[in-house]
Amino acid sequence: MLFYILRRFLYTLPIAIGVSLVCFALVHLAPGDPISAILPENASPQLIEEVKTAYGFDKPLPIQYLYWLGNVVSGDLGTSIMTRRAVLSEVIPAVGNTLILAACAVLIGFVVGIGLGTIAGYNSGSILDKAVTAFAITGVSVPHYWLGMVLIVLFSVNLGWLPATGMGSLGSGELPFTLDGLKHIILPAMTLAVIPAGIIARSVRATVSEVRKQDFVQTLYAKGLTSRYVFVHVAKNAAPTVLAIMGLQLAQLLGGSILVETVFAWPGTGFLLNAAIFTRDLPILQGTILVLSIFFVVTNLAVDVLQMMLDPRVKRV
Amino acid sequence: MSDQAATFSGAIPDTVKTERSRSFWQAVFRRLSRDPLTMICAAILLAIVLIAIFAPWIAPNDPYKTSMVRRLKPPGTPGYWLGTDELGRDMLSRLIYGGRLSLFMGFTPVVVATFIGGTLGVIAGYAGGRINMAIMRLIDVFYAFPSVLLAVAISGALGAGIVNGLVSLILVFIPPIARVAESVTTQVRTQDFIEAARATGASGARIVTGHVLSNVVGPILIYASSLISVSIVIASGLSFLGLGVSPPLADWGLMLNTLRQSIYIAPVNAVLPGVMIFTTSMCFNLMSDGLRSAMDVKG
């Protein structure tokens, strides 16, 4: 088992390096010089040279990359062009806010997805099954940024029940579970949960009905087990597949929250990225994307290891 | 299934094989035509596409003509069935014209990515060994980003614009398509009929074009068709963020973006463009599902 974890970890390392390369390249992909954004238009050639040397832009690209990677590993993601603050000190609170939102969305998405998927898998072919499939397809197809707007129109503009934007008391670092905080998180979390709920419901339905067709389920019934106990066995067998999909969804949520955060003015990574794009604050853009994608890589690693612990058959593949 | 098994077997003479494979496609179309949901979706999509193509003849008003006096008129206003937007432009005409860019931005990346990703995947799957390693590890790196994040990152760095939006979406869709292409090609490569073709002295290129492609194109296309709906939603999402299509062009995502400010004054107008994105994406999803079950491809 340790060997498997080690091998999986070694496999992740080159991917993490590749991800860092892509993030490094982002700044150089951008039109114009990376330093043109921080200098006035009429800067003298001498000043340009000085700034280039100061930021290390006069060195060849591979050297620049290693220099940058060294800084990143020691926790220095550069300085924001707009605020002049360290990128990390801007990114960390934003990641925290995104995680709060993603965690709530994951909770809703997983509970709804697993519940509906199991019901549909146990009643395949029935009207219930068709209703769940319809919900799942809708969840997968709906543009969630638009769904967010529709929810705002319904619950904030028309009914006036819930606030449309912001974090409320959640943002001020107070106790996270005040009524005000909950009110602010309901709409964005529900919006963000729709896609994973749909995808999970779909795959749980497929997995459960697949497992139920296997011979051992017939044997369990023949042994005289009640359906409640058979369900435990079915759940155990369906768990690894479902877990893998859920892990992937959790990680996708972090990236997908950009659009939802924009709709609800939620001060997370999406909000930060949006601001960085319009002010052409490339260090912030680069730093946020690096942190999020490394998070994504690590989540995938954790899911793989967890899946192996639950189902030793995975190891042999 | 028996039709499929026939196309997989290399022992059947050429004439019989083509006849059989034609009947496979006939079976697919027969099954599709008996699937009412898929046919309804196909009809809706066809209508949306035709309306977009013939927009100049169908749209009742000029989609770019602004007017300060008739801003944000509600739907049902005489002459402006679906109301007007925040600059007084006719919503219906803009929705009709918007289909052109939105469909183009959703469809093109999948087509290009299917070509590039499919080629990479087939090469990696057929060549195996080091070439496979090199291609697939590179793909894995891009696969390590959440898709929306990668699209936003690339077009955010490149800046707004239709071409930059397309480039970022193509890069997002190459990895998943290459992965599917690689895995089906690897499966086909180990089949007996490939071995038989090799034994008759056929070259690598001949085997790939003559035997491998015909067996992997179906699954790849089915997978690609399921990406169109994702692509339309993400492409509109980019425009919604202010990346991708820029004003004053008509695009559903961009319309959502600019109308978002008016959500308290004219909520119905503000959410209308999303209805179009949702309908299109939903129909593509259902059609892809219908196609998948008609071709009986698993996965």
Side-chain angles (χ1 to χ4, degrees):
Chain A
M1 184 160 117
L2 208 66
F3 175 73
Y4 175 84
I5 296 176
L6 199 72
R7 204 181 61 181
R8 188 64 187 71
F9 184 74
L10 283 179
Y11 172 77
T12 303
L13 215 56
I15 291 189
I17 293 174
V19 165
S20 75
L21 261 173
V22 173
C23 290
F24 174 74
L26 276 180
V27 167
H28 295 271
L29 262 178
D33 217 307
I35 54 163
S36 59
I38 44 177
L39 284 172
E41 269 176 40
N42 54 358
S44 67
Q46 197 196 349
L47 184 65
I48 292 177
E49 277 312 307
E50 271 173 28
V51 174
K52 265 189 179 174
T53 323
Y55 280 81
F57 284 129
D58 55 340
K59 305 212 167 55
L61 276 182
I63 304 287
Q64 278 188 43
Y65 169 69
L66 288 177
Y67 183 72
W68 174 79
L69 191 66
N71 282 344
V72 166
V73 171
S74 58
D76 176 12
L77 293 179
T79 314
S80 159
I81 290 171
M82 292 312 289
T83 61
R84 293 267 153 222
R85 289 175 60 198
V87 170
L88 203 63
S89 68
E90 301 260 347
V91 173
I92 294 235
V95 169
N97 289 344
T98 298
L99 279 178
I100 294 176
L101 179 59
C104 290
V106 157
L107 200 71
I108 301 173
F110 287 7
V111 170
V112 173
I114 293 177
L116 291 181
T118 313
I119 292 171
Y122 260 86
N123 302 289
S124 43
S126 69
I127 294 183
L128 262 178
D129 180 23
K130 287 192 176 118
V132 170
T133 308
F135 167 81
I137 287 243
T138 313
V140 177
S141 321
V142 73
H144 49 319
Y145 40 92
W146 171 71
L147 181 68
M149 288 173 67
V150 172
L151 290 179
I152 289 180
V153 168
L154 279 179
F155 292 101
S156 304
V157 180
N158 285 351
L159 295 170
W161 290 353
L162 295 165
T165 54
M167 265 184 107
S169 66
L170 275 179
S172 55
E174 284 172 25
L175 277 176
F177 294 110
T178 58
L179 189 64
D180 184 55
L182 278 178
K183 272 186 171 174
H184 277 87
I185 208 167
I186 289 178
L187 288 185
M190 262 171 52
T191 310
L192 201 55
V194 166
I195 294 182
I199 294 178
I200 292 167
R202 232 173 162 180
S203 39
V204 168
R205 179 199 166 275
T207 317
V208 167
S209 62
E210 193 91 341
V211 172
R212 283 187 71 231
K213 276 183 209 144
Q214 285 181 25
D215 289 341
F216 80 89
V217 175
Q218 209 65 40
T219 314
L220 290 176
Y221 276 117
K223 257 169 60 177
L225 256 66
T226 59
S227 42
R228 212 178 72 196
Y229 284 100
V230 176
F231 173 73
V232 175
H233 286 272
V234 172
K236 262 188 185 170
N237 277 276
T241 317
V242 172
L243 189 78
I245 291 154
M246 291 197 334
L248 201 64
Q249 286 308 311
L250 165 69
Q252 285 280 359
L253 273 186
L254 291 175
S257 69
I258 300 172
L259 290 152
V260 174
E261 284 180 17
T262 310
V263 174
F264 289 98
W266 187 265
T269 47
F271 205 64
L272 190 65
L273 272 178
N274 214 351
I277 286 167
F278 288 102
T279 52
R280 304 245 10 109
D281 196 340
L282 290 171
I284 291 271
L285 181 77
Q286 187 184 41
T288 314
I289 285 169
L290 182 70
V291 170
L292 283 180
S293 49
I294 293 295
F295 204 92
F296 188 66
V297 171
V298 172
T299 314
N300 279 341
L301 175 68
V303 168
D304 272 9
V305 171
L306 206 63
Q307 195 186 7
M308 188 268 303
M309 284 173 170
L310 279 180
D311 185 3
R313 281 173 300 184
V314 175
K315 216 171 4 179
R316 288 187 220 125
V317 181
Chain B
M1 262 330 269
S2 64
D3 303 283
Q4 243 183 355
T7 52
F8 269 112
S9 140
I12 301 166
D14 260 345
T15 47
V16 181
K17 208 173 116 188
T18 47
E19 204 181 297
R20 284 279 171 90
S21 64
R22 190 181 300 147
S23 76
F24 166 70
W25 286 107
Q26 278 171 352
V28 168
F29 280 114
R30 205 167 44 238
R31 263 175 265 169
L32 274 181
S33 61
R34 283 179 193 161
D35 181 355
L37 193 60
T38 309
M39 295 316 284
I40 292 172
C41 289
I44 295 175
L45 282 177
L46 188 70
I48 293 177
V49 170
L50 287 179
I51 287 173
I53 292 174
F54 296 107
W57 291 275
I58 295 170
N61 291 299
D62 179 353
Y64 299 107
K65 194 160 172 274
T66 59
S67 160
M68 279 313 179
V69 279
R70 42 154 221 265
R71 278 163 45 190
L72 294 171
K73 291 271 179 234
T77 310
Y80 304 97
W81 289 3
L82 292 180
T84 56
D85 72 359
E86 78 286 356
L87 295 176
R89 296 171 293 197
D90 178 31
M91 283 290 290
L92 179 61
S93 303
R94 281 185 74 75
L95 285 176
I96 289 172
Y97 270 88
R100 297 181 143 193
L101 267 177
S102 298
L103 290 172
F104 174 78
M105 291 287 290
F107 208 72
T108 320
V110 177
V111 173
V112 179
T114 304
F115 188 73
I116 301 175
T119 311
L120 284 174
V122 169
I123 292 174
Y126 186 74
R130 281 193 186 158
I131 297 177
N132 180 300
M133 271 284 279
I135 295 178
M136 295 319 288
R137 288 302 85 82
L138 184 70
I139 296 289
D140 281 348
V141 168
F142 282 91
Y143 207 71
F145 291 90
S147 43
V148 177
L149 188 69
L150 186 61
V152 171
I154 297 170
S155 49
L158 290 174
I162 294 177
V163 176
N164 293 347
L166 287 178
V167 169
S168 64
L169 284 167
I170 291 169
L171 281 172
V172 165
F173 290 121
I174 288 176
I177 291 173
R179 276 200 165 184
V180 169
E182 192 253 2
S183 82
V184 286
T185 311
T186 311
Q187 278 167 26
V188 169
R189 187 174 70 121
T190 51
Q191 303 257 342
D192 286 342
F193 69 93
I194 299 289
E195 199 56 45
R198 204 173 288 136
T200 61
S203 68
R206 169 103 183 80
I207 295 175
V208 170
T209 51
H211 302 277
V212 176
L213 273 187
S214 51
N215 285 299
V216 298
V217 161
I220 296 174
L221 285 186
I222 286 196
Y223 180 69
S225 75
S226 75
L227 290 179
I228 295 175
S229 101
V230 183
S231 178
I232 284 176
V233 171
I234 300 184
S236 296
L238 286 180
S239 302
F240 178 70
L241 285 178
L243 299 165
V245 182
S246 329
L249 287 173
D251 171 270
W252 297 332
L254 184 65
M255 288 172 73
L256 266 187
N257 179 19
T258 53
L259 279 162
R260 194 157 59 93
Q261 320 300 334
S262 321
I263 195 166
Y264 293 97
I265 313 158
V268 179
N269 301 28
V271 298
L272 268 179
V275 176
M276 294 308 298
I277 306 174
F278 182 36
T279 311
T280 317
S281 136
M282 182 97 157
C283 287
F284 269 117
N285 243 331
L286 288 168
M287 250 189 58
S288 165
D289 276 8
L291 199 65
R292 185 189 303 257
S293 54
M295 284 177 75
D296 196 25
V297 178
K298 294 212 173 69

